């Protein structure tokens, strides 16, 4: 039978272990809080912690494994557009709730919540700027706002952007990041697919360039419309690109799909995109493509290919 001294020693030991567990949990909470403060970022692919400033300098691409982390529309604009050249348009367009839609929460309340959370009126930013000195029209979808879903405001803003770009004879670049059409707007959302596609057709008829950039994820009605209508379609590495979800397709076909199904690499292999471009090279690639498709406006024309000037009879 244990003596009183032994009992006191045993209780002290138990108290010591209990205190260790408490201090360990506090340390873990403090560690997680420090990470959340924006000093560090954990890669969801490889789990490596990276200093946030280093990640930002590398455009939010993991320095260890190359995983492309999701970025918001503001950061994407900073990455692609030359400093002090961005001119946003249609910033004051606000979504409405004509169907008075309600699920677990009223659609109007949900919109207000996401507007406060993101500082955006809807899931896309549009405007004009320069990409390595070349003028371009840019639309950037933001997945933070209702999964980047395409509602009436998204469709209207992109349509107006394309129409103004056609008038200015600017190339159009749209960075896609979306779960598809917005279910809270039903048919009104689906109509945006045709509206944007019609504007792109008029842009194409004027022999002007359109480049969609497919990021993670690009799915649903966005994939079924303007995301796949580009003259040159680019994608980020390992981005999810598809129409219906993987689970829906597997249940419909009653077949197990490959692990890389609906990845950018799989879509490239099947010919639906033209190139996979790492984010750190995206601005340079866009600038080169825009420069190659600039109209020739002087006569006689000189086409410079790898330092060799060739005479051209093509009139501007």
């Amino acid at each position: 039978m244990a003596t009183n001294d032994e009992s006191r020693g045993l209780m002290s030991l138990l108290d010591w272990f209990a205190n260790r567990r408490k201090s360990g949990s506090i340390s873990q909470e403090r560690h997680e809080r420090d990470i959340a403060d924006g000093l560090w970022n954990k890669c969801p692919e490889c789990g490596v912690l990276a200093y946030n400033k280093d990640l930002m300098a590398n455009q939010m691409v993991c320095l260890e494994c190359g995983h492309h982390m999701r970025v918001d529309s503001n950061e994407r604009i900073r990455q692609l557009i030359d400093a002090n050249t961005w001119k946003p348009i249609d910033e004051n367009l606000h979504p409405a709730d004509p169907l008075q839609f309600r699920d677990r929460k009223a659609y109007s309340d949900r919109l207000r919540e996401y507007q406060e959370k993101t500082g955006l009126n809807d899931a896309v930013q549009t405007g004009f700027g320069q990409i390595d000195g070349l003028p371009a029209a840019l639309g950037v979808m933001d997945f933070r706002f209702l999964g980047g879903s395409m509602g009436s405001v998204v469709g209207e803003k992109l349509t107006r952007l394309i129409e103004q770009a056609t008038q200015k004879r600017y190339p159009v670049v749209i960075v896609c990041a979306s779960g598809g059409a917005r279910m809270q707007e039903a048919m009104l959302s689906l109509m945006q697919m045709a509206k944007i596609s019609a504007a792109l057709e008029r842009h194409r008829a004027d022999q002007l360039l359109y480049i969609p950039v497919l990021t993670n994820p690009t799915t649903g009605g966005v994939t079924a419309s303007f995301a796949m209508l580009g003259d040159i379609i680019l994608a980020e590495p390992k981005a999810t690109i598809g129409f219906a979800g993987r689970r829906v397709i597997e249940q419909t076909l009653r077949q197990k799909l490959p692990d890389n199904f609906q990845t950018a690499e799989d879509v490239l292999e099947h010919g639906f995109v033209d190139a996979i471009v790492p984010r750190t090279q995206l601005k340079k690639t866009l600038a080169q493509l825009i420069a190659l498709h600039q109209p020739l406006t002087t006569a006689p024309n000189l086409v410079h290919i790898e330092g060799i000037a060739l005479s051209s009879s093509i009139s501007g």
Side-chain angles (χ1 to χ4, degrees):
M1 186 173 179
T3 64
N4 290 337
D5 290 340
E6 289 173 338
S7 298
R8 283 195 298 272
L10 180 61
M11 290 301 294
S12 298
L13 187 61
L14 292 174
D15 291 341
W16 183 80
F17 277 115
N19 291 333
R20 287 278 294 182
R21 283 196 295 270
K22 289 179 181 179
S23 63
S25 62
I26 293 172
S27 298
Q28 184 177 0
E29 290 173 3
R30 185 180 297 115
H31 178 64
E32 291 176 351
R33 187 165 60 249
D34 289 342
I35 293 174
D37 285 339
L39 295 176
W40 298 89
N41 205 317
K42 184 177 181 180
C43 175
E45 186 71 19
C46 67
V48 168
L49 280 176
Y51 192 41
N52 207 41
K53 285 187 177 180
D54 294 336
L55 268 179
M56 292 288 288
N58 203 43
Q59 300 189 16
M60 297 306 291
V61 177
C62 178
L63 297 160
E64 186 71 20
C65 69
H67 175 71
H68 285 52
M69 301 180 191
R70 188 173 292 149
V71 296
D72 60 38
S73 55
N74 294 319
E75 177 61 25
R76 185 75 68 171
I77 291 168
R78 283 193 292 269
Q79 291 174 2
L80 295 179
I81 297 296
D82 298 346
N84 302 319
T85 66
W86 176 246
K87 296 179 180 178
I89 62 172
D90 299 315
E91 289 185 286
N92 296 322
L93 281 183
H94 284 74
D97 184 15
L99 303 179
Q100 298 296 303
F101 188 93
R102 185 182 186 91
D103 43 60
R104 289 178 297 175
K105 185 184 295 186
Y107 179 43
S108 56
D109 293 338
R110 203 176 291 276
L111 286 171
R112 188 161 46 250
E113 174 188 329
Y114 278 93
Q115 287 168 347
E116 293 173 357
K117 181 179 178 181
T118 64
L120 303 174
N121 289 329
D122 214 298
V124 71
Q125 292 197 61
T126 55
F128 298 94
Q130 294 183 8
I131 301 176
D132 276 353
L134 298 169
L138 177 67
V140 183
M141 305 189 76
D142 199 315
F143 195 79
R144 296 176 304 160
F145 197 105
L146 279 170
S149 52
M150 178 179 58
S152 299
V153 168
V154 171
E156 183 66 20
K157 290 186 70 170
L158 288 176
T159 300
R160 291 186 186 187
L161 175 74
I162 296 162
E163 289 176 343
Q164 291 186 40
T166 304
Q167 293 174 358
K168 295 175 181 287
R169 300 197 64 80
Y170 283 1
V172 174
V173 177
I174 298 179
V175 181
C176 305
S178 176
R182 188 172 297 175
M183 69 173 189
Q184 291 91 342
E185 296 187 22
M187 185 57 71
L188 297 174
S189 175
L190 296 177
M191 288 170 60
Q192 308 311 311
M193 298 168 61
K195 184 166 72 175
I196 299 170
S197 299
L200 285 172
E201 171 58 22
R202 292 189 291 270
H203 192 74
R204 184 204 64 79
D206 278 6
Q207 299 182 345
L208 297 171
L209 180 66
Y210 166 50
I211 304 175
V213 180
L214 314 186
T215 70
N216 184 49
T218 299
T219 57
V222 171
T223 304
S225 56
F226 62 89
M228 289 294 176
L229 293 178
D231 301 299
I232 302 168
I233 304 176
L234 306 180
E236 284 193 337
K238 297 184 179 179
T240 298
I241 302 167
F243 179 66
R246 181 190 185 95
R247 184 176 61 183
V248 172
I249 297 173
E250 285 186 334
Q251 290 176 348
T252 302
L253 299 179
R254 301 185 184 276
Q255 292 182 7
K256 180 70 176 175
L257 297 170
D259 292 337
N260 68 338
F261 180 70
Q262 291 186 333
T263 62
E265 290 73 14
D266 180 55
V267 174
L268 174 66
E269 184 178 343
H270 288 84
F272 286 94
V273 302
D274 296 298
I276 295 174
V277 182
R279 188 179 297 160
T280 51
Q281 300 176 23
L282 182 57
K283 181 176 181 178
K284 178 181 178 181
T285 301
L286 288 172
Q288 289 175 338
L289 291 172
I290 292 171
L292 285 170
H293 290 81
Q294 289 291 298
L296 300 174
T297 57
T298 58
N301 294 293
L302 292 178
V303 181
H304 291 269
I305 302 176
E306 297 182 355
I308 303 174
L310 303 176
S311 174
S312 172
S313 60
I314 302 174
S315 60

